[in-house]
Amino acid sequence: MFLSGTAALLALTTLLPPVNALENGVARLPVLGYNTWNAYQCNIDQDLLITTATLMKSLGLFDAGYQYVNIDDCYAELQRDNTSGRIVPDHTRFPNITAMNDQIHAMGFKTGIYSDSGWLTCAGYPGSFENEALDAETFQDWGFSYLKFDNCNFPYDDIIKQGMIGKYERMATALADLATTSGKPPFVFSLCEWGWSQVWLWAQDVGHSWRVTGDIAPQWNSLASIINFNSFITQATDFSGHNDMDMLQLGNGGLTFDEAKSHFTAWALMKSPLLIGTNLSRITDDILDILKNTEILSINQDSVVGKSISPFRWGINPDWTSNSSFPAQYWSGPSQNGTVIMLLNTLSHPADMSFNLIESPWIRAGRQYSVRDLWTHTDNGTAVRSFTAKGVPAHGVVALLLKDAGDEPAGLSPPCVVGQCTAQP
């Protein structure tokens, strides 16, 4: 869908200054891990979680940096305990959730849990409204250190009497108080708010990541729509605060191999949390290789530069055009090791993709740059003034790392590639 009327408004949002991020000692970098929802939804039990953690170790995902094993909805009994008021794990499927966590922690992983800002979760299990402090304590007692917090079944206005910020601040306050009283590190707090109330403008003071759209699907049109939306709010991502583009859908069917590479590349380079949502017992070697691309992961986990890549040219559309089917194609951003470039072919056929180097604000005029291909893992010579990627596959991606390689050769003409320039007066 083409949304020409929103271009000016979306452009304006990129001029807004970023809010100070929540700095409490955890989740400075995007979280890497696993989440049960996309592969299993409610068909989960503690054996599945232990098996998943075991597979993450044996498949090399732990060594690649994936640290969290997270349960989503449906793990609880439908009613709280009558005496304590606490959420109760499903007696059949999670007979000893603490022992499960102990076993997963022994493998080196951390674990995450799910709740909701409303009366009930999205699947109808107990939510945390008016029980925020009790639930935070319960989750910590069970051994969790990450909380995904959803946005279903919230109270009527005359009961809650708060805006969206207040809804999430209730649990944020409970988690902060718990860290103070328990002496344990704060929870990683992931807001699943779906972007309804410009979450990227306020959530930095409340949580560590925030969902910016509705649920992802393993289809190119879903990926393109999320990339398009996120292209206008990349300034909201930096250390300790990340636009969450939802879970990785690699290996769940519906995506070509090139689309899967584009999915992973865009999520990683835009510094989204990377939570695998795939049945790991069925994962193929090619998808596993995508998830373990250490050169891409190192940019997502850059400890010096926390910024997302951003578009420097939209490509087939005029700049600042919102088009959920054909998002921006030319992206760049800084890293501690050079300038990151992403070329995204949004067309349904292969295409050559070219750009002038200084179209990226991170590239210096009058310099040449070495070119590292982050997917072929090869050094591809030196780029002078421009670069062309030949035959980028349909819905495919090229990811490059450009490093300054000194002055460009003397005598090049014209004296400047773009814009107006003059000789010394």
Side-chain angles (χ1 to χ4, degrees):
M1 181 175 64
F2 180 69
L3 302 174
S4 58
T6 64
L9 176 61
L10 290 168
L12 178 61
T13 66
T14 67
L15 302 178
L16 297 172
V19 181
N20 290 331
L22 177 64
E23 294 282 0
N24 62 359
V26 297
R28 186 171 184 265
L29 300 175
V31 166
L32 274 60
Y34 187 91
N35 182 284
T36 58
W37 183 257
N38 289 78
Y40 301 104
Q41 296 191 353
C42 288
N43 299 313
I44 57 174
D45 58 34
Q46 65 185 53
D47 289 340
L48 171 67
L49 270 294
I50 294 168
T51 298
T52 297
T54 302
L55 283 168
M56 290 177 72
K57 290 282 284 193
S58 65
L59 294 171
L61 291 166
F62 178 79
D63 290 337
Y66 294 90
Q67 295 185 340
Y68 284 84
V69 181
N70 296 346
I71 301 174
D72 210 281
D73 207 346
C74 309
Y75 61 86
E77 295 285 345
L78 290 173
Q79 302 295 325
R80 290 174 175 269
D81 181 85
N82 288 332
T83 303
S84 67
R86 290 178 179 264
I87 292 176
V88 179
D90 184 287
H91 287 98
T92 301
R93 293 183 291 119
F94 291 91
N96 194 332
I97 202 166
T98 304
M100 177 199 76
N101 275 330
D102 289 344
Q103 190 168 344
I104 295 173
H105 294 163
M107 300 183 209
F109 293 101
K110 302 173 184 178
T111 52
I113 193 69
Y114 167 98
S115 191
D116 195 284
S117 62
W119 303 111
L120 301 172
T121 69
C122 296
Y125 293 84
S128 289
F129 181 67
E130 293 187 333
N131 287 287
E132 289 86 359
L134 178 63
D135 290 353
E137 180 183 350
T138 300
F139 299 149
Q140 187 177 81
D141 289 346
W142 289 346
F144 294 102
S145 57
Y146 173 111
L147 176 62
K148 174 183 174 182
F149 207 55
D150 220 331
N151 188 34
C152 288
N153 298 303
F154 46 86
Y156 291 149
D157 293 351
D158 62 353
I159 296 174
I160 193 167
K161 296 182 180 178
Q162 290 175 321
M164 193 65 71
I165 299 174
K167 280 180 55 183
Y168 284 88
E169 283 181 333
R170 295 172 66 100
M171 181 54 84
T173 299
L175 294 173
D177 291 345
L178 178 64
T180 299
T181 58
S182 71
K184 296 182 178 180
F187 266 65
V188 176
F189 191 33
S190 175
L191 282 59
C192 189
E193 192 271 341
W194 319 327
W196 280 2
S197 61
Q198 295 184 316
V199 60
W200 58 92
L201 294 180
W202 56 262
Q204 292 96 331
D205 285 332
V206 180
H208 301 103
S209 63
W210 41 86
R211 278 278 296 281
V212 295
T213 63
D215 290 351
I216 192 173
Q219 301 165 0
W220 174 253
N221 60 358
S222 177
L223 306 184
S225 178
I226 293 171
I227 292 169
N228 173 68
F229 191 92
N230 205 61
S231 68
F232 296 97
I233 58 172
T234 56
Q235 83 289 345
T237 284
D238 210 326
F239 290 128
S240 296
H242 306 99
N243 291 328
D244 181 354
M245 299 165 70
D246 204 6
M247 287 168 275
L248 295 172
Q249 287 290 282
L250 286 68
N252 286 338
L255 297 178
T256 67
F257 176 69
D258 289 307
E259 289 170 345
K261 285 175 61 178
S262 296
H263 176 18
F264 181 78
T265 304
W267 266 236
L269 300 188
M270 282 193 265
K271 305 295 182 77
S272 174
L274 301 179
L275 293 174
I276 301 167
T278 304
N279 182 337
L280 294 181
S281 67
R282 301 175 183 172
I283 197 168
T284 57
D285 288 342
D286 56 349
I287 296 299
L288 189 61
D289 287 343
I290 293 175
L291 291 169
K292 292 165 60 178
N293 184 328
T294 55
E295 294 195 71
I296 298 288
L297 288 171
S298 68
I299 296 170
N300 179 267
Q301 296 292 296
D302 192 323
S303 61
V304 176
V305 179
K307 296 180 182 298
S308 164
I309 59 169
S310 299
F312 63 82
R313 176 159 38 105
W314 262 246
I316 63 173
N317 293 308
D319 289 352
W320 300 108
T321 298
S322 176
N323 188 327
S324 60
S325 298
F326 298 95
Q329 295 180 287
Y330 295 84
W331 302 66
S332 69
S335 81
Q336 64 175 306
N337 294 314
T339 298
V340 182
I341 302 289
M342 181 176 78
L343 308 178
L344 185 68
N345 180 12
T346 62
L347 302 173
S348 57
H349 55 79
D352 295 347
M353 301 186 70
S354 300
F355 65 97
N356 294 320
L357 298 189
I358 62 170
E359 288 186 82
S360 165
W362 310 108
I363 294 292
R364 297 168 59 191
R367 309 288 286 179
Q368 58 186 336
Y369 284 79
S370 65
V371 180
R372 175 72 176 177
D373 189 310
L374 302 180
W375 277 110
T376 63
H377 308 296
T378 56
D379 295 321
N380 291 2
T382 303
V384 178
R385 294 201 168 185
S386 65
F387 181 86
T388 298
K390 294 285 190 179
V392 182
H395 300 165
V397 71
V398 172
L400 307 172
L401 186 65
L402 302 188
K403 294 185 180 182
D404 192 307
D407 288 335
E408 67 181 23
L412 295 181
S413 182
C416 57
V417 180
V418 294
Q420 297 181 6
C421 62
T422 62
Q424 185 175 349

